[in-house]
Amino acid sequence: MTTVQQRTPRPLLVPAVIGALILIAPLVGLLQRAPWSTLIERLTTDAVLDAMRVSLIVSIGAAGACLVFGLPLAWVMARSSGRGIAALRILVLLPMVLPPVVGGTALLFALGRRGLFGEYLDRWFGITLPFTTAGAVVAATFVALPFFVTTVESALRDAGTDLEEAAATLGAGPWATFVHVTLPATRSAIGAGLALSWARALGEFGATITFAGSLGGRTRTLPVETFLALETDPESAVAISVLLLAISIAVLVLLRGRWLQR
Amino acid sequence: MTLDLTGRVARGDLTLDIDLHLSAGLTAITGANGSGKTTLLRVIAGFERLDAGELTIDGEVIDTSGAGPISAAHERPVTMMFQDHRLFDHLSAVDNVAFAARRRRTPRAEARQTAMSHLEAVGMASLADARPRALSLGQRQRVALARTLAAPTRVALLDEPFAAIDESGRAAVRALLPAVDATYVLWVTHDPADATVATQHVSVDRGVVRQTLTR
Amino acid sequence: MRRLAGALAALPLIVSGCSGSGDETTTVMVPSSFTDVTTDIDKARDVEIEWVIAGSSRLVRQLEDGADADLLLTADAETMADAAVRGLVDESLGIVATNRLVLALAPGNPGGINRLEDIARPALLIGICASEVPCGRLATEAAATWDLDIAADTEEPSVRALALKIAAGELDGGLVYATDALAFNLETIDNDRLAVFETEYPAAAIGDASISFFTFLTTSEGREILRDRGFGVP
């Protein structure tokens, strides 16, 4: 038995094609201008390799921070209700729509050396986050966290409390239930959230440059390197962009293929 | 030694006035759909709070609408088998059954061995390594029953345990009920045949929960 | 390839509009460091000017991409020479203003910087511009000439961003333009060795449009505005 596919109403067709083109055309443009013959060469200069290393450390660190802090946050949001939680849900989404530069500035005001909390980090613990790799991780975590939390929270909500109740009647306390039932039941969503937040952290630019600055080998990530290369060596900038594009596509294909398919 | 539950629960449109004093043994709970049978079990299990009244098991206060202490669901000497079986999809059938023992820090091999004997009792030993997703509804319900049998407890709550099991299997599984290792076994049923094994009956009708017969 | 990069660079500027040169209004492209000057000029003159403000090299990319403008001003001679070689500008109008490097200090001088050599102290948080942009090239040049070590903690892509971080006290000090130090009201360490690293702002006309804007900058009123904002005038 095959279902007869519904015919697309004609008025939808043209806008649909235009919509798809808006998304696809820039990618084609980028690929068409990529310096294919010198791509490897341009991607293996010391500056780019340094940026790759920094990007890897920063993005993996940010994804790790999302897991450590985002998972408990997602759980609390999914399992609680009330006005405070509703407000929290909006706040958690904010970094998704906020210009990252604004986020970076806000981070400076909060965690910078002269910032609201940063002053005490500096005075009490001797920790200064700006202009350090750790600062870049903080900036990337700020923008990536919403992707992780929303993905995992909705999965926790969908899963509901049925299995958790079953575990409780079998004598499992809240922590054992979380570890042995909730985590395994939502592991695919956690994986998807990790991949999304990692990809977002890898592409992060505005908050990083504003909060952590840009120093080769320490805070200069691939997107920052791209931005600077545009000034003097646009072809290398495009080469790095192609690399970032390839990684993003790989992540999305992986997500579609393995996790989102059900 | 008795299980005493008296008081009131109000959830939306549903209000239950409860007055139960159960002795050890099998108790069949009957009532129309939506009458509140599941809510009654959920109160005993610890998922719904009493709005008024008290639940005591063997004299120990488990829940009270007053200022007294309340036990959380996992601390109660109560286990429950749900209508929709609620097996853990990430565990095989045998590991589902071994779950309660593992939480009590029983070594894995020993917990599995015990679990296998319970799976055998419900006729599911051959599918011990299967994931719940790969099982039929009736098979899942058998595994869920085995999981409940394996949880050492004083009170076992079974919410329509035979609904998805066909008529021929039902008699065999029903025969297991007296073997449930719990002082009080309460089960919700629609089947008049179940009445034959029960020693007590509880009816839930228009918001009133009471014992109708003690044999 | 270059067109694409130019298009990328132009993205944030679409809002500032690009009217055709056939219009009545004059379109003038100026580098970021001229931002405050543009508002002063708008206040002083009753002529409507459409400003396009961006980093110098981005302005050149925009021109290459076909952006319309009547006048181009860049923050260094190299960038202007680049535009001239590509045939993007027509008539060189000479130097409009000059700018120089200063060592700017965070408010209250938390790093206790009192001489140029202090920028080599690793314990301090020091910022310079990235070598990809003019103020960074100038800083690198100065460091090489005077054999200075710069223990930089960040190489910012724009001098404004750098000055902002010094003003916020996140950096102890950094090498910025005199104009930026003035704009953020920063204390500076005057040093003759830095002062020689001056950058010139050349202007060039595009097409045969009016050059009244350029002439205004050379009047005493125009020079006063530039001086007030920390520029040098030739």
Side-chain angles (χ1 to χ4, degrees):
Chain A
M1 185 182 80
T2 43
T3 315
V4 179
Q5 211 170 359
Q6 204 187 349
R7 192 174 295 196
T8 310
R10 217 159 272 192
L12 296 186
L13 206 59
V14 173
V17 169
I18 294 175
L21 279 178
I22 289 174
L23 297 173
I24 297 168
L27 304 182
V28 175
L30 187 72
L31 293 177
Q32 179 226 341
R33 298 293 179 145
W36 294 110
S37 54
T38 56
L39 198 66
I40 300 296
E41 217 173 293
R42 289 175 185 282
L43 290 180
T44 50
T45 63
D46 285 348
V48 176
L49 288 177
D50 266 354
M52 266 184 215
R53 195 171 50 80
V54 173
S55 264
L56 269 183
I57 293 170
V58 168
S59 57
I60 291 174
C66 284
L67 185 67
V68 171
F69 303 111
L71 185 58
L73 180 58
W75 192 93
V76 170
M77 282 166 59
R79 292 289 179 264
S80 325
S81 55
R83 224 174 256 177
I85 293 293
L88 184 64
R89 195 163 289 126
I90 292 172
L91 287 177
V92 164
L93 284 177
L94 217 51
M96 270 181 167
V97 289
L98 206 65
V101 176
V102 176
T105 312
L107 280 172
L108 268 185
F109 292 155
L111 299 175
R113 199 160 57 139
R114 297 281 172 86
L116 191 58
F117 311 109
E119 196 185 329
Y120 299 101
L121 280 182
D122 188 30
R123 203 187 297 165
W124 294 345
F125 308 106
I127 298 172
T128 8
L129 284 173
F131 315 112
T132 63
T133 308
V137 172
V138 170
T141 305
F142 177 79
V143 293
L145 196 57
F147 289 84
F148 183 86
V149 172
T150 48
T151 307
V152 175
E153 191 214 341
S154 75
L156 284 169
R157 265 178 194 284
D158 286 351
T161 54
D162 284 4
L163 292 180
E164 292 169 3
E165 285 183 355
T169 68
L170 297 168
W175 177 246
T177 300
F178 178 75
V179 173
H180 295 289
V181 174
T182 314
L183 272 191
T186 47
R187 65 186 185 281
S188 58
I190 292 169
L194 270 180
L196 277 177
S197 58
W198 178 76
R200 177 65 189 88
L202 188 71
E204 164 36 45
F205 167 73
T208 308
I209 188 102
T210 313
F211 182 62
S214 143
L215 189 69
R218 201 197 287 176
T219 51
R220 188 171 295 174
T221 57
L222 283 173
V224 176
E225 181 69 31
T226 310
F227 182 77
L228 286 169
L230 269 177
E231 295 283 341
T232 49
D233 185 7
E235 300 207 342
S236 290
V238 175
I240 306 171
S241 306
V242 168
L243 173 72
L244 287 171
L245 183 67
I247 295 172
S248 307
I249 289 176
V251 167
L252 293 176
V253 167
L254 207 67
L255 280 179
R256 277 257 152 215
R258 249 193 76 195
W259 286 311
L260 298 187
Q261 202 178 59
R262 271 268 171 93
Chain B
M1 287 283 140
T2 50
L3 186 158
D4 299 286
L5 176 57
T6 54
R8 167 177 297 186
V9 183
R11 291 289 174 276
D13 290 342
L14 181 74
T15 302
L16 290 180
D17 281 307
I18 310 166
D19 186 20
L20 295 181
H21 304 277
L22 301 176
S23 312
L26 299 176
T27 303
I29 301 171
T30 54
N33 281 331
S35 59
K37 302 186 295 289
T38 299
T39 304
L40 175 66
L41 295 191
R42 290 177 61 82
V43 169
I44 300 171
F47 303 128
E48 307 282 349
R49 281 211 62 183
L50 278 172
D51 295 301
E54 195 170 71
L55 166 66
T56 62
I57 298 174
D58 300 338
E60 183 193 346
V61 177
I62 302 292
D63 189 2
T64 168
S65 58
I70 316 154
S71 310
H74 71 278
E75 295 163 339
R76 297 186 178 197
V78 177
T79 190
M80 179 165 171
M81 177 190 168
F82 300 86
Q83 228 173 75
D84 49 356
H85 47 77
R86 304 192 185 180
L87 294 177
F88 306 126
D89 274 324
H90 64 283
L91 297 177
S92 63
V94 64
D95 285 329
N96 263 280
V97 179
F99 186 87
R102 291 290 289 144
R103 298 290 78 75
R104 286 173 173 77
R105 306 195 184 279
T106 310
R108 182 188 294 261
E110 190 188 327
R112 279 200 174 152
Q113 207 177 351
T114 315
M116 277 308 290
S117 66
H118 289 292
L119 280 177
E120 258 163 47
V122 297
M124 287 294 296
S126 60
L127 290 166
D129 291 326
R131 290 293 169 99
R133 220 182 272 287
L135 301 175
S136 74
L137 268 182
Q139 289 169 331
R140 288 183 214 178
Q141 202 157 30
R142 285 164 187 256
V143 175
L145 182 62
R147 187 174 69 173
T148 308
L149 296 177
T153 177
R154 274 181 281 157
V155 183
L157 308 170
L158 314 175
D159 198 356
E160 301 201 35
F162 315 132
I165 298 174
D166 59 36
E167 197 55 55
S168 58
R170 213 174 270 194
V173 178
R174 187 183 296 129
L176 289 169
L177 279 182
V180 175
D181 184 21
T183 317
Y184 309 92
V185 180
L186 285 69
W187 87 100
V188 171
T189 180
H190 287 298
D191 193 337
D194 284 342
T196 57
V197 282
T199 54
Q200 298 162 100
H201 282 187
V202 169
S203 76
V204 183
D205 185 25
R206 270 164 276 181
V208 179
V209 181
R210 60 168 183 264
Q211 282 162 267
T212 52
L213 170 81
T214 306
R215 205 170 58 182
Chain C
M1 173 56 241
R2 287 207 170 265
R3 294 179 73 87
L4 167 72
L8 286 176
L11 276 178
L13 282 150
I14 286 169
V15 278
S16 54
C18 310
S19 72
S21 57
D23 294 0
E24 299 284 308
T25 47
T26 310
T27 305
V28 178
M29 288 180 151
V30 295
S32 313
S33 44
F34 248 61
T35 311
D36 295 332
V37 174
T38 62
T39 48
D40 293 348
I41 291 176
D42 280 340
K43 251 182 255 162
R45 292 178 83 213
D46 199 21
V47 182
E48 201 183 315
I49 293 178
E50 182 141 9
W51 302 103
V52 179
I53 305 170
S56 299
S57 43
R58 267 153 220 256
L59 292 175
V60 174
R61 294 254 164 69
Q62 286 181 49
L63 279 179
E64 199 167 32
D65 262 3
D68 274 322
D70 302 303
L71 202 112
L72 172 70
L73 220 138
T74 62
D76 64 350
E78 287 91 337
T79 315
M80 184 57 84
D82 186 40
V85 167
R86 289 164 204 278
L88 299 171
V89 291
D90 294 311
E91 188 192 343
S92 168
L93 299 173
I95 307 300
V96 173
T98 61
N99 212 341
R100 63 195 168 83
L101 275 188
V102 293
L103 172 55
L105 308 177
N109 196 5
I113 299 173
N114 46 41
R115 53 197 191 108
L116 185 58
E117 282 71 19
D118 285 343
I119 59 176
R121 281 162 51 193
L124 297 182
L125 288 173
I126 299 294
I128 56 173
C129 290
S131 59
E132 284 87 350
V133 293
C135 76
R137 274 198 288 274
L138 217 54
T140 318
E141 217 177 296
T145 307
W146 301 109
D147 202 20
L148 284 171
D149 270 333
I150 305 179
D153 292 279
T154 183
E155 296 170 9
E156 296 286 319
S158 106
V159 61
R160 279 274 145 148
L162 175 56
L164 183 74
K165 284 173 184 173
I166 300 171
E170 294 299 337
L171 289 168
D172 294 315
L175 296 179
V176 299
Y177 286 135
T179 52
D180 300 296
L182 190 70
F184 286 95
N185 212 2
L186 298 174
E187 266 185 72
T188 61
I189 287 197
D190 278 315
N191 190 292
D192 294 343
R193 282 180 291 172
L194 281 182
V196 295
F197 288 95
E198 216 179 42
T199 180
E200 294 177 328
Y201 287 62
I206 300 160
D208 46 20
S210 138
I211 55 164
S212 74
F213 164 72
F214 177 74
T215 17
F216 171 75
L217 281 181
T218 58
T219 63
S220 60
E221 197 189 354
R223 291 157 72 97
E224 177 117 14
I225 288 176
L226 287 170
R227 255 192 235 106
D228 281 351
R229 289 295 181 180
F231 285 99
V233 286

